[in-house]
Amino acid sequence: MQARHSNSRYSLIGYILLIALAGFFITRTLLLVAAFPEADLSIIAFLKVYLLGLIYDLAFYSYALIPVTLYLLLIPERIWKTRLNRGFVQLAIFATIYGLGFIVAAELLFWDEFSVRFNFISVDYLVYRREVTDNIRESYPLPLYLSAIFVVSLFVYWLVADRIKAVLDVRETFQQRALYAGGILLLPVLSFLLVNQDLRELSNNSYQNELASNGPYQFIAAFRNNELDYYKFYQTLPDSKAASLLQKEISQGAAVAPSFDIRRHIDNPGSERHLNVFLVMVESLSADYLGAFGNTEHLMPNLDRLAGQSMLFTNLYATGTRTTRGLEAVTLSIPPTPGRSIVKRVGHETNLWSIGNVLKQKGYDVEFIYGGRGYFENMNAFFAGNGYGIIDQSSTPDSEMGFTNAWGMADDDLYAQAIKAADSAYRADKPFFFHLMTTTNHRPYTYPDGRIDIPSGSGRPGAVKYTDWAIGEMLAKARQKPWFKDTLFVIVADHTSGSAGKVALPVRQYHIPMLIYSPEHITAQKVDTLSSQIDVAPTLLALLNMDYDSAFFGKDILTMQPEDERALIGNYQKLGLYADNRLSILSPKRRMTRQVNPDASAPVETTLVAPDADIERDIAYYQGASYIFSQHLNAWEPPAVTQ
């Protein structure tokens, strides 16, 4: 009788728990090595990271074991000892071990790419299976990795195989199982009540916070929190005060209503110039790739040469770290509201005040031209619903694409499609506004052979150099076209190539270049004004001398006064305003922080207990953006046609 009760079915949970905790410990340790020395771990910080990490590991495991606990409880004795059940349990345990090994490998690769644990990015990528799986397949030796995980999983299973067989021979009454199950099921309840995202904010060092997290736990949390209600989670001001501050920020001399309704009429001096606009948004184009910003590797000779012939914006900042944030900012001229980008808010992402709608109303041929498949990240729906026609990989004949990878056609094929569309617009006697989005400067970093002297797929430097080569070729072909002399070529990044830093919003990782090139119409010069991606649309419309109705948050960079200068940067939760060498940050739980000299390699962040003038300015932008978007105050309303 004693032998019958010396063990329990629930011993299986203990064995897997030990394996899981070992896997999580190994993952955290390897990530710590990868983050050294940026993590700045003292002995106390080291202990905090591992202790808090253990709490998150246990919290995730407590949720994961709910179905296992119920299975062990509800399977009757007569079925428990059958050959079918024994085989199922053994296979399930091996699959669990293999799954844990897969998670360890996935976390290491994800960290190598983004320097964070699983987050919104991993959730978003899971939705677009084709692009992501193709990217992984083309970027990594997947069969080798999966085989290695399989071999390690076999070894780990062998270590516990005898104990599993012993448990499968156990006889246990339902009452005995219920006692174990009741105690175990208390754990997810406690985790739900006591463990949340706030615990991971143990330090101002973002690496420490990431190391203390648990990747699968973060993944599930990202599913639950893909949109955040500003008024519920962030510091607010009375709407009247926030609206007044926002009006002061965005007016730039225009008349505005005494509310959050920022719709107004913009009068730009001079006669309207219906010049073409060829706006190229380059994937991951960090400012520090260009010689104009100190780069000495000569990876971008065409852009380096072009910088001296263009209007070069030297102090421009991206609003976020994802392509959809850059598209949102340039197209809608709106700050990055918390949660996912507006581009991806299905059902709320269309019929908005966009530069496309403004120029379409002016008679322009307006197109979004993307190297990949535009269903990715909901881009086609967003642009089609905001005044744009669509040209993407799906609409391009295979015969016109010489090279493709996981993300789409090569940049030179993309530019060929754009030039083809420009020729068509010119023949129709229509000015055009084309917003291009490239894909090459992205893992797996592959491109057509024979273009540059760095082999395809060898890493980021080759992709950067090919990106530059393709821009040079595009401009060389465009110069032969009759529409070239009346075209503004705008080259700007969607975001930089990396977003990691010791603090949550590392300012230097948001610094991007913008060049506006048009020998007939633009004088070569440097513009050092601190500005944001949300200012791109108003600046372009000002260069065209366009009068227009606006619901944009941005301003014409070229007429900004020193007190107007600011950059708006954020991630999915933190919302920053950078001005006067200070970064004011709003975070969930109504937290307010400040970085002084934020462009330093390790800026110090302090917590504020009450809003000061900088924080109030920060609040005005983000509270206003959230209110205006939620109340549809930036819905597109074309001006009435006067007879």
Side-chain angles (χ1 to χ4, degrees):
M1 191 71 178
Q2 184 177 359
R4 287 179 56 193
H5 302 300
S6 62
N7 210 338
S8 166
R9 296 182 186 181
Y10 290 95
S11 300
L12 295 175
I13 288 179
Y15 301 148
I16 301 302
L17 172 62
L18 292 175
I19 294 170
L21 291 180
F24 292 143
F25 179 87
I26 291 170
T27 302
R28 186 167 288 108
T29 302
L30 291 174
L31 295 182
L32 189 153
V33 172
F36 185 85
E38 287 84 357
D40 288 336
L41 283 175
S42 64
I43 296 297
I44 298 299
F46 178 88
L47 294 175
K48 284 183 178 179
V49 162
Y50 276 89
L51 178 60
L52 186 57
L54 178 62
I55 293 172
Y56 274 116
D57 295 344
L58 290 171
F60 166 73
Y61 190 79
S62 71
Y63 291 124
L65 60 77
I66 292 175
V68 180
T69 301
L70 294 176
Y71 182 84
L72 296 177
L73 171 66
L74 298 176
I75 293 297
E77 269 299 304
R78 65 179 183 277
I79 297 178
W80 176 252
K81 299 187 71 172
T82 63
R83 180 175 297 178
L84 179 64
N85 179 71
R86 293 170 72 92
F88 172 74
V89 170
Q90 290 172 318
L91 180 62
I93 291 174
F94 178 79
T96 300
I97 295 171
Y98 187 89
L100 288 167
F102 184 87
I103 289 172
V104 172
E107 282 221 68
L108 294 174
L109 294 177
F110 193 79
W111 182 280
D112 179 61
E113 182 75 9
F114 300 105
S115 296
V116 293
R117 307 298 282 264
F118 293 148
N119 60 9
F120 281 96
I121 300 173
S122 57
V123 174
D124 287 349
Y125 275 7
L126 187 65
V127 175
Y128 303 101
R129 181 201 57 78
R130 178 175 178 176
E131 282 79 3
V132 175
T133 53
D134 285 353
N135 179 40
I136 292 171
R137 178 177 54 80
E138 294 174 13
S139 301
Y140 304 103
L142 205 56
L144 176 63
Y145 287 178
L146 295 178
S147 299
I149 295 169
F150 184 81
V151 171
V152 172
S153 299
L154 281 177
F155 174 74
V156 173
Y157 182 83
W158 174 77
L159 294 177
V160 296
D162 290 342
R163 291 179 173 82
I164 293 170
K165 291 178 182 178
V167 171
L168 290 170
D169 291 330
V170 167
R171 298 183 60 186
E172 199 168 16
T173 66
F174 180 82
Q175 290 80 5
Q176 290 169 329
R177 301 198 303 271
L179 185 63
Y180 284 115
I184 293 171
L185 290 175
L186 283 176
L187 297 178
V189 175
L190 292 174
S191 296
F192 181 80
L193 295 174
L194 301 177
V195 181
N196 56 42
Q197 291 286 73
D198 296 339
L199 291 179
R200 66 194 291 262
E201 299 294 330
L202 63 89
S203 166
N204 287 332
N205 186 299
S206 61
Y207 288 101
Q208 293 182 20
N209 298 336
E210 294 293 336
L211 290 170
S213 304
N214 174 280
Y217 184 95
Q218 292 299 110
F219 184 83
I220 295 170
F223 259 121
R224 294 177 57 201
N225 300 306
N226 59 12
E227 291 186 25
L228 295 174
D229 184 330
Y230 182 91
Y231 281 86
K232 181 177 180 181
F233 290 100
Y234 293 86
Q235 181 66 43
T236 61
L237 295 171
D239 279 344
S240 59
K241 183 173 183 178
S244 178
L245 289 171
L246 180 60
Q247 290 163 5
K248 181 181 177 183
E249 284 290 325
I250 60 92
S251 62
Q252 208 168 16
V256 290
S259 69
F260 272 132
D261 188 348
I262 63 171
R263 287 172 287 192
R264 62 212 186 272
H265 186 74
I266 304 296
D267 285 313
N268 283 309
S271 300
E272 285 194 0
R273 303 189 297 172
H274 284 209
L275 302 175
N276 307 307
V277 180
F278 207 97
L279 191 160
V280 181
M281 185 165 274
V282 180
E283 170 70 39
S284 304
L285 180 62
S286 301
D288 56 16
Y289 289 145
L290 275 69
F293 298 95
N295 187 283
T296 59
E297 298 178 275
H298 306 295
L299 294 175
M300 308 201 87
N302 290 297
L303 282 187
D304 286 341
R305 183 168 53 255
L306 199 66
Q309 304 167 2
S310 306
M311 183 180 289
L312 174 65
F313 293 79
T314 64
N315 210 6
L316 182 74
Y317 288 80
T319 60
T321 60
R322 306 289 301 137
T323 295
T324 51
R325 281 299 188 194
L327 295 173
E328 165 194 89
V330 170
T331 304
L332 304 180
S333 184
I334 190 171
T337 50
R340 61 172 49 191
S341 163
I342 290 172
V343 176
K344 302 196 64 179
R345 297 189 189 180
V346 178
H348 305 280
E349 82 283 29
T350 60
N351 196 36
L352 301 173
W353 216 287
S354 71
I355 186 174
N357 273 325
V358 170
L359 289 175
K360 186 176 183 180
Q361 188 268 333
K362 297 280 188 180
Y364 275 67
D365 178 6
V366 177
E367 303 285 345
F368 173 64
I369 306 177
Y370 178 49
R373 303 170 190 87
Y375 73 83
F376 181 69
E377 303 274 47
N378 200 45
M379 285 187 277
N380 276 1
F382 170 77
F383 281 99
N386 287 298
Y388 295 73
I390 305 295
I391 300 172
D392 69 351
Q393 183 180 1
S394 301
S395 65
T396 302
D398 290 344
S399 60
E400 297 180 17
M401 293 185 291
F403 177 92
T404 61
N405 64 14
W407 298 110
M409 67 181 95
D411 286 358
D412 48 341
D413 290 333
L414 169 69
Y415 296 137
Q417 293 303 309
I419 289 175
K420 177 182 174 183
D423 289 342
S424 178
Y426 179 78
R427 288 192 298 269
D429 197 27
K430 290 190 70 173
F432 60 80
F433 171 69
F434 293 165
H435 186 158
L436 285 70
M437 182 68 234
T438 73
T439 60
T440 297
N441 190 21
H442 190 295
R443 192 182 295 276
Y445 310 126
T446 53
Y447 40 84
D449 292 329
R451 303 300 199 262
I452 60 171
D453 56 359
I454 301 177
S456 172
S458 59
R460 174 84 69 176
V464 171
K465 193 165 187 178
Y466 167 75
T467 295
D468 177 79
W469 175 89
I471 291 172
E473 286 294 299
M474 178 269 291
L475 287 172
K477 292 175 181 177
R479 289 187 184 99
Q480 309 305 313
K481 300 294 183 177
W483 44 261
F484 172 80
K485 63 182 177 62
D486 289 325
T487 301
L488 303 184
F489 291 88
V490 183
I491 299 172
V492 65
D494 57 348
H495 54 81
T496 65
S497 60
S499 59
K502 292 185 178 181
V503 290
L505 295 181
V507 165
R508 60 173 54 191
Q509 298 288 18
Y510 289 79
H511 187 204
I512 60 173
M514 181 167 73
L515 299 83
I516 301 180
Y517 172 69
S518 182
E520 296 284 333
H521 302 282
I522 298 295
T523 301
Q525 59 183 289
K526 285 187 178 182
V527 179
D528 299 324
T529 305
L530 174 62
S531 51
S532 168
Q533 273 177 325
I534 71 170
D535 302 315
V536 172
T539 303
L540 290 178
L541 292 169
L543 286 171
L544 298 174
N545 301 336
M546 293 282 186
D547 296 341
Y548 63 101
D549 290 339
S550 174
F552 295 153
F553 284 73
K555 296 178 280 195
D556 175 13
I557 300 172
L558 301 176
T559 59
M560 277 188 186
Q561 299 301 308
E563 62 271 16
D564 295 329
E565 297 184 29
R566 82 288 170 265
L568 297 161
I569 66 175
N571 55 29
Y572 288 100
Q573 293 190 345
K574 295 184 183 294
L575 312 171
L577 185 144
Y578 176 42
D580 298 322
N581 204 31
R582 297 188 298 274
L583 178 65
S584 302
I585 303 173
L586 304 171
S587 305
K589 305 291 286 186
R590 306 189 189 282
R591 190 165 179 254
M592 301 170 289
T593 54
R594 166 75 38 68
Q595 294 175 22
V596 178
N597 192 22
D599 198 31
S601 58
V604 176
E605 191 170 287
T606 57
T607 300
L608 284 71
V609 296
D612 59 12
D614 287 341
I615 287 288
E616 287 184 346
R617 190 182 182 191
D618 196 2
I619 293 170
Y621 271 106
Y622 292 106
Q623 183 175 328
S626 296
Y627 184 94
I628 286 168
F629 178 70
S630 66
Q631 299 301 312
H632 312 293
L633 296 181
N634 65 335
W636 170 244
E637 296 178 3
V641 178
T642 57
Q643 300 296 328

